[in-house]
Amino acid sequence: MKKTKKVLKGILMSALTIAAGFLALALPFKMFTGLSSRDMQILFIAELVVYFVLGMIYLIFKDRNEAEKVKNEERRTARREKFEQAQREYYDLAA
C-alpha cells in the first residue's frame, strides 16, 4: 500500500511538473504578440516568483519530513532502551 502510494505520488508529481513546464514555456510565446515589453517583464518576474515559492514549499516539506524521521528514530531508541532496561531489571529479579 505504501509503495503504491509512493508510485502514484511520483507519477502525479511528474505529470504536474511536465504541465507546469509546458505552460511556463508556451505562455510567454503565445502572449509575445499581445503584450508590451513592460508586460513581458512583469510576466517574467512573476514566473521567477512562482518558481521561487514552489522551491521554498518543496524545501519546507523536505525539512519537515527529515525532522519527522529524526523524531521517530528518537522515539524508537527511547522505547528500545526502556524495553532493554525492563528486561535487565526482570532478569536481575529472577536471578
Side-chain angles (χ1 to χ4, degrees):
M1 182 71 175
K2 197 173 195 180
K3 188 175 183 180
T4 304
K5 186 178 179 182
K6 196 172 188 178
V7 169
L8 289 175
K9 183 179 175 183
I11 291 170
L12 182 63
M13 289 293 284
S14 296
L16 288 174
T17 303
I18 290 170
F22 176 75
L23 287 175
L25 290 174
L27 186 64
F29 287 113
K30 291 209 179 255
M31 298 176 87
F32 184 72
T33 57
L35 296 176
S36 68
S37 177
R38 180 82 171 144
D39 293 339
M40 288 300 289
Q41 289 175 349
I42 291 171
L43 182 65
F44 178 70
I45 292 170
E47 277 187 67
L48 291 179
V49 168
V50 168
Y51 291 146
F52 180 75
V53 168
L54 290 176
M56 296 309 295
I57 290 171
Y58 169 77
L59 291 176
I60 288 169
F61 279 112
K62 184 178 175 186
D63 288 344
R64 186 175 11 158
N65 288 342
E66 288 177 6
E68 187 176 321
K69 284 180 184 179
V70 169
K71 182 180 173 184
N72 285 338
E73 186 60 34
E74 289 173 355
R75 183 181 58 83
R76 286 188 192 108
T77 303
R79 288 184 70 193
R80 189 179 321 114
E81 290 173 357
K82 189 175 181 181
F83 179 74
E84 290 171 356
Q85 181 184 3
Q87 277 186 330
R88 282 193 303 270
E89 290 175 0
Y90 175 76
Y91 289 140
D92 287 344
L93 288 175

